[in-house]
Amino acid sequence: MVTDDLLKKVDKSKMPRHVAIIMDGNGRWANLRGLLRSAGHTAGVKTLKKILTTAVNLKLEALTVYAFSTENWKRPLTEVEFLMHLFSEYLEKEKLEMHANNVRIRFLGRTEDFSPLIQSQIQSATDLMKNNTGVKFNIAADYGGQDEIVRAAQKLARKVANGEISAENITANVFEDELDTVGQPPVDLLIRTGGDLRISNFLLWQAAYAELWFTKTNFPEFTPEEFIEALIDFGNRDRRFGGVTKD
């Protein structure tokens, strides 16, 4: 349980504005216990609720989680179907509590590829929380960083073809306006659980200057305390954005 004393250990002046999490290790957590992978995904959802609650308590500006990648469709059909069911169940059960906590939800990726039911639930949750002013909670689902960049380039190409903008006027800021995270700050801290040391096609543009924080802890065991540990570590880093050291 996150206590007020633990929350006070985070220096708000050095806290990241935008944290992204690759929630990895659900399957490994289940395998280590002789359980089905579905049990790991279910446990991961419970962990996510705790992390989002911590983000709300800390008044974090934005939190993005990698829920389902474009490559995850290649997993066994039974696992994909379970993940879709879990995603649907999560939205239905949690949206009212998120709304009560002033969370504003957004979905990143090709949401049009989901079932009509899930698309309806995505729209319902988005509409419900659209005027909230608390944590910007982004769920990356059917998402890939390269795919997002390609989609943004296609949008701009159509605008150029229609005479809405000239190619010479396409700047980094103009490009960012076509990304799924439009209007949100870049990622300051990227956390990956589960022990792997890679970013797996996640927020490639937004995390260009993000600080990386890896842990061997599988996501179902990733506690709010360890989340806060990552935030404290971030606050102690010297971010240079390609510049020279202060020393």
Side-chain angles (χ1 to χ4, degrees):
M1 180 177 178
V2 179
T3 63
D4 289 339
D5 287 341
L6 185 58
L7 293 174
K8 289 176 182 177
K9 289 184 178 180
V10 180
D11 185 342
K12 298 294 181 63
S13 68
K14 296 181 179 179
M15 196 168 74
R17 295 178 63 195
H18 189 169
V19 177
I21 305 177
I22 299 175
M23 305 180 294
D24 197 19
N26 290 338
R28 284 189 289 276
W29 179 88
N31 290 337
L32 287 169
R33 288 159 178 76
L35 303 172
L36 296 175
R37 288 176 62 86
S38 57
H41 297 309
T42 301
V45 167
K46 294 179 181 178
T47 295
L48 175 58
K49 182 173 182 176
K50 295 175 185 177
I51 298 303
L52 178 58
T53 298
T54 305
V56 169
N57 290 336
L58 286 168
K59 295 181 172 56
L60 187 69
E61 183 172 344
L63 174 69
T64 302
V65 296
Y66 210 178
F68 191 85
S69 74
T70 53
E71 292 79 17
N72 285 160
W73 293 111
K74 300 174 185 177
R75 292 186 176 187
L77 179 60
T78 53
E79 184 174 0
V80 171
E81 289 179 342
F82 180 81
L83 286 169
M84 292 300 103
H85 171 75
L86 192 62
F87 186 34
S88 174
E89 186 179 68
Y90 175 80
L91 290 178
E92 195 63 28
K93 285 185 175 181
E94 301 298 331
K95 67 178 183 181
L96 292 180
E97 184 173 342
M98 285 191 280
H99 181 48
N101 285 325
N102 199 29
V103 171
R104 182 170 184 175
I105 201 167
R106 182 186 295 189
F107 297 87
L108 316 181
R110 293 179 176 268
T111 55
E112 68 273 13
D113 290 338
F114 289 117
S115 70
L117 171 62
I118 291 179
Q119 288 187 55
S120 175
Q121 290 175 314
I122 285 173
Q123 190 62 55
S124 174
T126 302
D127 290 343
L128 177 66
M129 295 177 243
K130 65 182 180 181
N131 295 320
N132 291 348
T133 58
V135 176
K136 298 177 179 70
F137 180 42
N138 305 310
I139 299 179
D142 197 5
Y143 174 88
Q146 292 178 335
D147 178 72
E148 180 188 26
I149 290 170
V150 168
R151 286 188 285 109
Q154 290 171 340
K155 292 176 191 175
L156 286 171
R158 286 192 287 270
K159 288 185 176 182
V160 171
N162 293 334
E164 299 173 42
I165 188 174
S166 66
E168 293 74 21
N169 288 333
I170 298 176
T171 63
N173 288 337
V174 169
F175 191 85
E176 286 175 355
D177 286 344
E178 303 300 336
L179 295 174
D180 296 343
T181 52
V182 57
Q184 298 192 13
V187 175
D188 295 308
L189 174 63
L190 178 73
I191 297 171
R192 181 170 189 146
T193 63
D196 286 335
L197 306 178
R198 53 179 177 265
I199 59 174
S200 296
N201 195 24
F202 185 44
L203 299 174
L204 299 179
W205 180 282
Q206 297 89 336
Y209 288 101
E211 295 294 317
L212 307 180
W213 198 87
F214 298 100
T215 176
K216 292 182 179 180
T217 303
N218 290 319
F219 189 69
E221 295 183 314
F222 185 64
T223 63
E225 289 81 5
E226 191 168 7
F227 179 57
I228 287 175
E229 179 185 338
L231 300 181
I232 292 172
D233 181 72
F234 171 86
N236 292 327
R237 295 191 186 186
D238 178 21
R239 303 186 74 197
R240 297 190 293 275
F241 302 95
V244 297
T245 180
K246 296 178 181 178
D247 298 333

